[in-house]
Amino acid sequence: MEMIDERKNSNSMTKSKPNRFCVFCGEAPNSKTKEHVVPYWLLELTGDPKRVVTLGIDYTKDKTPISYAWQGFVAPACEDCNNTFAKLENRIKPTIQALEKREALTVGQYDELLDWLDKVRIGVWLVRGMIEKNPIAVDPHFHISSRMGKKDRMLALYVFEGQPPGINLFGNDSMISGAMPSCFGLRINNLLLVNISSDFLCSKGCGLPHPLEMLHLHGGDNHGMLSLKGFGHATDVSHPVTNLALLKPVVWLYQPIKLPTAAPEFKGGYFGHTNMFDTRIMSRTLGGEGAKGAIFRQWTDRVEVLNDSNTVIEFDEVVGDDCATLGEIAASVYDAQVSLFESIRTEWVPPAKPTDFDKLLRATKIESNREFADIYRGQGSKTPNS
């Protein structure tokens, strides 16, 4: 499962999960509604919704690819949940169409786009978990509603010329993503959006309070949870915000996420921050209040803090040696997954201890991602499905 912190997650599965669960809330669906986690309007925007693609692996049949029509890539959903999230889809459609026209968006529109990417990334992960016969099954402890807008996140936007219409999902097929759905790439015709969302991904670099150490607990009463140790109180925004090695995009944004204030460690919205009226923190929060941090724009030579939802974000220029193929950018998604995976240390709680299989599995996940990256780098601009 994806890493979570020591606070109780309201959607954690402490009881037996129903055989069919709503992709949004995780409960048994109250209707027979189906949710297109890759929305139907996007399928129509990029081609024939009935087109057949390969998405998934049947590990019980010598890793046989699973193919079906895009319009069949659906999950159970409650009618009320589906209707609620349909409103988000209605707002995002013109946003994507504007990006295709190379139009500038506001900070508020990018904030909502990051919400939508959380929805798609987690939705795709949940559907693949339902349809794939994977020997290393993961029982999801969160769903779209309990995960969207809950962790620090990032968006890198790339544009191309001359790509055929279509959709590609990058990174969702990796072993790392199967247990840690924190990073993926989404091609929409001539756009490619690389999205990452993870615990405290950018809090330190954005000059905000953060844990000094994060440990993934294995064994014991808190098995599978993330232990946060020590308080860091960054005062300055770092350049670059993180050490992620990405190819230059036209727009590169980070957004830290404030956390619930019920626990004393999060009284000020960030781990270890107890002052709710810190003007420096407020200046790095979207609108000066609310649950979300400001948008931090990463430039080649600086970081810009954007805390006004109405601020317009124009495309940066990418020319010369900074230009890259679709394959190279797709490969960077798999590289980023390895970077995130290796950044989380595991603490084994006695009597649990790592076995040879655990060590082999970890090494296999990393090696598999590197193989995916090498394949995409060798393909240049080719795409495996559309």
Side-chain angles (χ1 to χ4, degrees):
M1 60 180 253
E2 191 186 33
M3 314 310 181
I4 59 177
D5 60 48
E6 291 176 318
R7 295 169 298 120
K8 292 295 183 182
N9 186 322
S10 60
N11 207 39
S12 292
M13 292 297 181
T14 56
K15 58 184 178 180
S16 177
K17 181 167 75 342
N19 292 331
R20 293 180 71 255
F21 59 86
C22 171
V23 71
F24 295 110
C25 69
E27 301 297 328
N30 59 19
S31 67
K32 294 184 178 180
T33 306
K34 296 289 186 180
E35 160 67 10
H36 289 87
V37 292
V38 178
Y40 199 83
W41 63 262
L42 191 56
L43 301 180
E44 293 180 316
L45 185 67
T46 55
D48 182 359
K50 297 180 180 179
R51 63 195 186 273
V52 176
V53 294
T54 298
L55 272 173
I57 300 293
D58 186 344
Y59 287 87
T60 68
K61 296 182 179 179
D62 195 27
K63 297 184 180 181
T64 302
I66 300 173
S67 299
Y68 42 81
W70 259 124
Q71 67 176 11
F73 196 60
V74 295
C78 297
E79 184 174 2
D80 289 346
C81 291
N82 210 337
N83 289 340
T84 297
F85 280 86
K87 298 174 184 177
L88 173 63
E89 295 291 350
N90 291 337
R91 295 192 299 271
I92 289 298
K93 181 178 179 180
T95 294
I96 295 297
Q97 291 173 322
L99 288 176
E100 284 201 287
K101 297 174 185 176
R102 310 297 191 260
E103 295 177 0
L105 299 181
T106 65
V107 166
Q109 287 174 303
Y110 273 110
D111 171 46
E112 193 163 61
L113 180 59
L114 284 163
D115 279 345
W116 181 75
L117 287 169
D118 279 344
K119 172 188 177 290
V120 174
R121 191 186 68 255
I122 297 302
V124 169
W125 174 69
L126 290 169
V127 173
R128 292 191 69 132
M130 294 175 189
I131 65 174
E132 289 192 5
K133 296 178 181 179
N134 194 322
I136 308 174
V138 175
D139 183 17
H141 282 230
F142 53 84
H143 302 83
I144 292 172
S145 292
S146 61
R147 180 61 178 80
M148 191 175 80
K150 297 297 192 298
K151 299 179 188 290
D152 289 7
R153 50 202 193 173
M154 185 226 74
L155 168 64
L157 173 65
Y158 300 86
V159 295
F160 303 93
E161 298 293 341
Q163 283 295 319
I167 300 173
N168 295 98
L169 295 169
F170 300 111
N172 305 92
D173 48 359
S174 75
M175 294 179 69
I176 288 176
S177 180
M180 188 179 176
S182 299
C183 174
F184 87 134
L186 173 63
R187 180 182 77 95
I188 303 172
N189 297 332
N190 284 325
L191 304 172
L192 176 55
L193 298 89
V194 176
N195 172 235
I196 299 175
S197 178
S198 186
D199 296 278
F200 307 101
L201 169 71
C202 59
S203 292
K204 180 180 179 180
C206 292
L208 295 166
H210 58 277
L212 293 177
E213 188 176 19
M214 297 188 292
L215 298 171
H216 180 215
L217 301 178
H218 196 102
D221 294 339
N222 294 317
H223 175 77
M225 302 190 81
L226 194 65
S227 174
L228 309 178
K229 298 186 176 181
F231 302 116
H233 297 277
T235 57
D236 297 324
V237 177
S238 299
H239 169 64
V241 173
T242 72
N243 61 0
L244 282 171
L246 296 181
L247 296 158
K248 184 181 179 182
V250 294
V251 175
W252 190 349
L253 308 175
Y254 286 94
Q255 185 181 38
I257 300 295
K258 296 176 71 174
L259 297 165
T261 59
E265 296 87 352
F266 298 94
K267 207 66 179 177
Y270 296 97
F271 185 67
H273 189 244
T274 57
N275 182 0
M276 300 176 65
F277 306 101
D278 187 321
T279 55
R280 177 175 56 83
I281 300 299
M282 296 291 279
S283 71
R284 297 172 188 174
T285 301
L286 196 59
E289 56 186 18
K292 296 174 181 176
I295 296 292
F296 292 71
R297 183 168 191 180
Q298 179 70 66
W299 295 90
T300 302
D301 59 350
R302 68 190 188 283
V303 176
E304 183 180 9
V305 183
L306 307 172
N307 59 12
D308 184 342
S309 294
N310 297 314
T311 299
V312 174
I313 296 177
E314 302 277 359
F315 282 11
D316 192 8
E317 188 177 44
V318 180
V319 297
D321 292 342
D322 288 327
C323 296
T325 66
L326 176 59
E328 290 170 331
I329 299 168
S332 72
V333 174
Y334 295 89
D335 293 336
Q337 288 182 347
V338 171
S339 178
L340 289 171
F341 184 64
E342 292 184 325
S343 69
I344 304 295
R345 290 177 49 213
T346 298
E347 182 173 277
W348 293 82
V349 181
K353 60 181 180 179
T355 65
D356 290 341
F357 176 76
D358 293 317
K359 297 174 184 177
L360 176 62
L361 180 59
R362 180 178 177 83
T364 300
K365 288 180 178 180
I366 294 172
E367 182 59 30
S368 175
N369 261 60
R370 288 174 175 159
E371 289 176 358
F372 272 120
D374 288 343
I375 290 170
Y376 278 111
R377 287 191 180 94
Q379 286 183 341
S381 62
K382 295 180 182 179
T383 54
N385 59 65
S386 61

